[in-house]
Amino acid sequence: MPPVQHCIRVEVRVEGVVQGVGFRPYVHGLARRLGLSGRVGNDTAGVFMEIEGTQQLVSEFLATLPAQAPPLAVIEQVRTSPLVPTGEPGFHIVSSNAAGRPDTLVSADSATCADCLRELADPTDRRFDYPFINCTNCGPRFTIVRDVPYDRPFTTMAPFAMCPACASEYHDPCDRRFHAQPVCCPACGPRLRLLDANGVDLPGGPLATAAALLTGGAVLAVKGLGGFHVATLASHTAATALLRARKHREDKPFAVMVADLTAAHELCVIDPVGERVLTGRRRPVVLLPRRPDTPLAPAVAPGNRNLGVMLPYTPLHHLLLRDTAGPIVLTSGNVSDEPISYQDDDARQRLAGIADAFLTHDRAIHMRTDDSVVRVFRGAELPVRRARGYAPEPLTLAQPAPRPILGCGAELKSTFCLARGRHAFISHHIGDLENYETLRSFTEGITHFRRLFDVQPEVVVHDLHPEYLSTKYAHDLPDVELIGVQHHHAHIASCLADNGAAGPVIGVAFDGLGYGSDGTLWGGEFLLADLAGFQRLAHLVPVPMPGGTAAIRQPWRMAAAYLGSDAPEELAQRHAGRWDAVLAMAHRQVNAPLTSSAGRLFDAVAAVLGIRDTINYEGQAAVELEQRADLTEQGSYPAAVTKGPALQLHGADLVRAVVADLQAGVAPEVISTRFHHGVADAIIRVCVMLRDSTGVGVAALSGGVFQNVLLLERTVAGLEQSGFRVLTHSRVPPNDGGISLGQVAVAGALLRAGSRASRGTGNRQ
Ligand code: ZN
Ligand code: ZN
Ligand code: FE
């Protein structure tokens, strides 16, 4: 026993994602390596340990602890306090102390690690070719967790009793699978099945037969981590076209899964940041510039210069890609806008008309989760859809929420957000809250998150739009305090929270539509904002939306509204039957609500250029307008800014410039770029004017329109050149998927300010 007087003993507490990620064996190994004695264990707050040894060794231990932590660990806080040395020899892992309120975090699902991949490919390993191989450093997490604490009986692995070999790995602190809850092997774990459309097992090995079916041009449903995908060979012209027809999905691009980074490089131009995101453990779909002559079928991503690419993230994907002749289309297993299927019976019913066969297994999915989608912007991720691989990791709030808060989000690309203390748990992408299935997914998700993270919301935040199902849901909750937050204020607050900032900023919120404080539809807004409130200082000049929501689906109506009788003859001809009626509607403002939406401005231009007269998915016209832009073009269009109660930005000037160039014979590709530049330049000018009047030199860019990288790049560059500090999104999407976080951030600020009188945010004028 070492002489007591030379030793110190400290208590160390680590909080964050530290359970179920191999943290205790890691601590055990590190302490033993340094010759320290003591103990380590889990409790409801995270991991606790007592470390005893010389001052120098204990310091070395504490310095190394965060630096070499296991890959899935997220350390949020390490606290130490002195203890009296006990002289207890050895270092031990002690049993969990499960009493009290759970305050630990659940990991996101993680792509198969390199060690598991090596075993998967090793014919001498007992998990050779086993499609469910995983370990403490990888595998399913959030999607299989039914309840806390994170322990096998509370996951969908509960029905699988471990065989002796797996059990000994599970109980061995020195093993990579120590306390890996989903640990299993061919002897004891889930099994693959391949069923025909009637649910009958097909003969042969499921994997080999499935790969042969794919190669032969079949449409295959594949059970993944968070739900069913449907897959076809991406080079197969007939199969991809068939998939599109069966899914009733006319234009929206399909994502493609490739075997590895080399295969990804064959399809897309990828910079080092893109490589890092593609190969990272979260494995989102990454939207990348597509190479001109890829061997992909035309139906994969029609008319799209970008391609959504992802790398395999489950062992099953790795095996399937290995055995298939090239990249596969892997798209959500659903019909058009419904949520993704995740239960076997339901999938077989709903996908019966789409898939020829089902590659499935008997490990249940508890939480339905779609693939995440990101773009890459200036060396960082620009999230488009935050779901599998990211949820339910919380964001840390700069200021703790004074009371538990629920943000209900908006309507499209819905998410919710629960906040307790410094943690904001943003849900995975739920979908558009427009049908019963999605609403059920929303309410069940809230129930699940409330239990997992022990948040009982006392304050509930909703959008100002009275007809959103999320607003109605909030109003139906008993015994809570309600706060309404204006949509674009929530957008800017989400950007602030994304950056750990509090404002004030000049917030530029450009999106499709949101309910304004004055009851009109907003969407091209400049707000002087902090978390607690805003002033609408400038906006796009409102124009009528002839036919209301019909104008969203039919961008040509917006061209008519912007141009009236100045519209190009061709456009009027294309819609001759309805043109005059639509013009009259716009002119008299009957069934034509006014909107300052930037999304509708992009729609109008796409229609004028003949790129999109009608759309099949939200934002399609703007997406295709960006895709068409000639990236070598330098020109720009001017737009007037006039003074009123707020500054008025004249979007119509841009549309007229588009028409003039079109009539002068300028190529649509060049016009598209000049229009994008014109919008960016106008934003910069307005921001400079607002800085002059307010003295605020920080700008925050949010709203779905800023998923457009051409616009975003020019706007950020110009603002920075003008001396602004610019905040953009890198953790939550700029689109409505970020609204719930913004709502929570606003509510937290209002509660901290304690201003009961002004609960809810309208316009501060
Ligand atoms: Zn692994
Ligand atoms: Zn086993
Ligand atoms: Fe929005």
Side-chain angles (χ1 to χ4, degrees), residues 9 24 159 267 317 444 571 765:
R9 190 176 181 92
R24 285 172 302 160
L267 298 183
H317 293 146
E444 288 175 356
L571 184 71
Q765 280 172 9

Side-chain angles (χ1 to χ4, degrees), residues 106-383:
V106 175
S107 301
D109 300 278
S110 185
T112 312
C113 73
D115 289 328
C116 285
L117 282 182
R118 238 184 326 271
E119 292 168 352
L120 185 69
D122 176 2
T124 67
D125 193 275
R126 67 192 189 89
R127 293 188 180 87
F128 173 60
D129 265 7
Y130 182 55
F132 305 96
I133 186 170
N134 67 78
C135 74
T136 316
N137 301 326
C138 74
R141 294 292 187 277
F142 174 55
T143 51
I144 63 165
V145 171
R146 290 185 195 278
D147 208 346
V148 281
Y150 174 60
D151 222 343
R152 191 161 172 121
F154 298 117
T155 72
T156 62
M157 284 300 290
F160 302 95
M162 278 183 271
C163 70
C166 285
S168 86
E169 291 170 330
Y170 180 89
H171 291 295
D172 177 1
C174 299
D175 194 277
R176 198 171 94 248
R177 295 192 166 87
F178 177 67
H179 280 209
Q181 305 306 340
V183 71
C184 58
C185 75
C188 66
R191 279 160 208 254
L192 217 49
R193 285 177 77 186
L194 182 66
L195 310 174
D196 70 11
N198 300 315
V200 178
D201 285 278
L202 287 165
L207 185 73
T209 313
L213 281 174
L214 274 179
T215 306
V219 178
L220 192 70
V222 182
K223 189 174 180 178
L225 268 183
F228 278 81
H229 285 109
V230 279
T232 62
L233 202 62
S235 58
H236 203 293
T237 304
T240 49
L242 188 66
L243 174 60
R244 216 166 251 297
R246 287 181 181 174
K247 257 181 77 96
H248 303 296
R249 180 148 145 167
E250 281 151 38
D251 305 298
K252 202 172 184 179
F254 289 140
V256 169
M257 182 177 272
V258 294
D260 52 29
L261 203 53
T262 310
H265 276 291
E266 282 165 18
L267 298 183
C268 294
V269 180
I270 313 169
D271 66 9
V273 183
E275 288 184 354
R276 200 187 68 216
V277 179
L278 272 176
T279 56
R281 66 178 178 84
R282 301 177 188 280
R283 295 288 154 102
V285 173
V286 187
L287 299 179
L288 292 162
R290 175 181 182 169
R291 291 192 188 279
D293 43 6
T294 57
L296 296 180
V300 173
N304 221 297
R305 193 159 57 191
N306 289 338
L307 191 66
V309 179
M310 63 182 145
L311 262 50
Y313 53 85
T314 69
L316 178 58
H317 293 146
H318 282 282
L319 296 171
L320 201 55
L321 266 291
R322 182 197 65 188
D323 293 351
T324 311
I328 57 173
V329 163
L330 210 58
T331 185
S332 322
N334 57 7
V335 183
S336 48
D337 293 329
E338 291 175 0
I340 186 171
S341 294
Y342 70 111
Q343 288 159 330
D344 281 72
D345 292 346
D346 176 61
R348 272 213 302 285
Q349 276 174 28
R350 284 166 62 203
L351 305 180
I354 297 178
D356 301 310
F358 292 79
L359 184 61
T360 184
H361 56 76
D362 50 356
R363 187 181 73 207
I365 296 169
H366 187 70
M367 247 303 121
R368 155 169 45 206
T369 320
D370 286 277
D371 289 321
S372 295
V373 182
V374 305
R375 299 189 78 162
V376 174
F377 176 71
R378 291 197 165 197
E381 292 179 31
L382 174 64

Side-chain angles (χ1 to χ4, degrees), residues 35-57:
L36 295 162
S37 61
R39 51 179 60 199
V40 59
N42 284 342
D43 66 10
T44 54
V47 168
F48 67 88
M49 53 197 104
E50 295 179 14
I51 307 293
E52 185 164 330
T54 64
Q55 173 88 55
Q56 190 199 338
L57 287 175

Side-chain angles (χ1 to χ4, degrees), residues 32 66 93 102 230 346 363 379 397 452 533 564 569 585 672 731:
R32 295 257 278 236
I93 294 179
V230 279
D346 176 61
R363 187 181 73 207
L397 297 168
L452 279 191
E569 193 56 31
M585 239 189 272
S672 168
R731 299 192 291 173

